[in-house]
Amino acid sequence: MQHLRVVSPSAATADVVDLLRSSPAAINVVVLPECAVDPPGDVVMADVAREALSPVLDRLTDLGLDRNGSIAVEAVDTSLSHHATRAEDAAPGLSEDALVWHEVVDRTESESRASLGYLALMALATTIGMIGVLFDQPILIVGAMVVGPDFGPLAAISVALVGRRWRIAGRALATLGAGFAAGFAASVVMALLLQAWGLADQATLLADRPLTSFIWAPDALSWVVGVLAGAAGMISLTTGRSGVLVGVLISVTTVPAVGNAAVALAYGVGEEATGSLAQFAINVAMIVAGAVLCLLIQRTWWRFQGRVAPDRARVASDR
């Protein structure tokens, strides 16, 4: 269940209450008249089955409450109620698989901004990845991919494309570019420092590195893995399975590819830099493609589930 709190102008409160009471997936409807101060109005609260939350939020935004009032949602960890069980039975699908579009948009929109923390992590992750590729150390590459927060803007781009929110897509793309630019610059500086300290040079880069050569030598699997990783990442995002995201980050090579391109340019090995940038471009494009495709399938499925929900509501009401 999800706890819904709405601050509603008094003139719209009756419509909000009617909406919630008409939904078999909403329970515990409470109205606190004239309790809200800023924005002013009434407070309406209810618990809604997660599977049915998205259409309820759509109706509330249609009433203009996102502009004239306030809408907040938080998870209910435990709900011991026969009414709650009946509400979940009336809702379509399973709560673990529910696609709450407004939640996804809000979560990814915050990832479309280039914070200092994001830029710092991108610089650190890319530099770690560069060292891992340079010295043929896969464990460092894995660590770099886990540290790198680049999936956030990639997810934001995907969600914005599906929702046709071009401004957010552009901002997320700029954030992604700024992050990798910071990582590229930091990797070049580190590569030059390693050379100055006598720890690495062009010979190190040109040496046989069998464990990490895939970073600068993309093949057909790079396309396939990118699409699969993008789809897995979107499922992780929409269903709240955060553990899956770690595997997604490890399976793609965006961060180490940029790091290797940086050290290759710093040491004057243009062919390897070109291959690394190609690997990077393939991964980014395929991650977005896989995420967009997955999100379109999820939205289509949940729209279908919404159409069959009335039959389930009647069954639940008979229990």
Side-chain angles (χ1 to χ4, degrees), residues 300-315:
T300 301
W301 171 250
W302 277 97
R303 284 170 180 167
F304 169 77
Q305 290 281 15
R307 287 197 293 270
V308 302
D311 294 333
R312 297 182 180 181
R314 285 193 291 271
V315 171

Side-chain angles (χ1 to χ4, degrees), residues 12-23 29 31 44 59 63:
T13 299
D15 293 332
V16 175
V17 174
D18 288 344
L19 165 64
L20 295 173
R21 295 190 66 185
S22 66
S23 173
V29 180
V31 181
V44 182
R59 293 286 303 278
L63 292 173

Side-chain angles (χ1 to χ4, degrees), residues 200-211:
D201 54 21
Q202 188 183 82
T204 309
L205 188 68
L206 294 175
D208 187 28
R209 290 171 289 151
L211 299 180

Side-chain angles (χ1 to χ4, degrees), residues 16-309:
V16 175
V17 174
D18 288 344
L19 165 64
L20 295 173
R21 295 190 66 185
S22 66
S23 173
I27 61 169
N28 301 334
V29 180
V30 177
V31 181
L32 304 175
E34 300 180 1
C35 284
V37 177
D38 186 18
D42 305 327
V43 176
V44 182
M45 296 182 290
D47 293 332
V48 183
R50 177 178 169 83
E51 308 94 298
L53 183 59
S54 199
V56 170
L57 294 177
D58 286 339
R59 293 286 303 278
L60 291 173
T61 54
D62 288 343
L63 292 173
L65 295 176
D66 56 331
R67 301 182 303 274
N68 304 322
S70 176
I71 306 170
V73 179
E74 57 185 356
V76 177
D77 293 331
T78 304
S79 180
L80 305 178
S81 168
H82 169 70
H83 298 287
T85 301
R86 188 173 61 184
E88 290 179 337
D89 288 343
L94 300 175
S95 62
E96 294 83 359
D97 298 328
L99 175 64
V100 183
W101 179 249
H102 296 273
E103 178 184 67
V104 173
V105 169
D106 184 66
R107 185 181 302 169
T108 55
E109 185 173 347
S110 65
E111 298 285 352
S112 68
R113 298 179 176 88
S115 66
L116 290 176
Y118 163 78
L119 294 175
L121 285 174
M122 285 297 293
L124 293 170
T126 308
T127 304
I128 293 171
M130 179 273 290
I131 295 173
V133 179
L134 181 61
F135 292 100
D136 202 33
Q137 296 292 327
I139 190 65
L140 293 181
I141 294 177
V142 171
M145 289 187 286
V146 173
V147 171
D150 52 309
F151 185 76
L154 287 170
I157 292 171
S158 305
V159 172
L161 290 176
V162 172
R164 299 180 181 180
R165 305 171 79 238
W166 312 122
R167 183 178 63 84
I168 301 300
R171 187 172 70 192
L173 183 60
T175 296
L176 186 71
F180 280 114
F184 187 91
S187 296
V188 168
V189 171
M190 179 56 70
L192 295 176
L193 287 175
L194 291 175
Q195 187 177 43
W197 295 334
L199 298 176
D201 54 21
Q202 188 183 82
T204 309
L205 188 68
L206 294 175
D208 187 28
R209 290 171 289 151
L211 299 180
T212 57
S213 60
F214 66 94
I215 297 296
W216 65 89
D219 55 21
L221 287 178
S222 300
W223 300 79
V224 175
V225 171
V227 171
L228 297 177
M234 188 52 63
I235 292 174
S236 170
L237 177 70
T238 57
T239 61
R241 293 179 168 91
S242 58
V244 175
L245 191 57
V246 176
V248 173
L249 297 174
I250 294 174
S251 64
V252 294
T253 57
T254 51
V255 166
V258 171
N260 194 62
V263 70
L265 285 178
Y267 291 168
V269 185
E271 183 178 355
E272 189 163 317
T274 301
S276 298
L277 291 176
Q279 179 74 275
F280 166 74
I282 290 170
N283 273 267
V284 168
M286 291 302 98
I287 288 171
V288 172
V292 167
L293 179 61
C294 180
L295 195 55
L296 288 172
I297 293 173
Q298 286 180 293
R299 292 190 77 182
T300 301
W301 171 250
W302 277 97
R303 284 170 180 167
F304 169 77
Q305 290 281 15
R307 287 197 293 270
V308 302

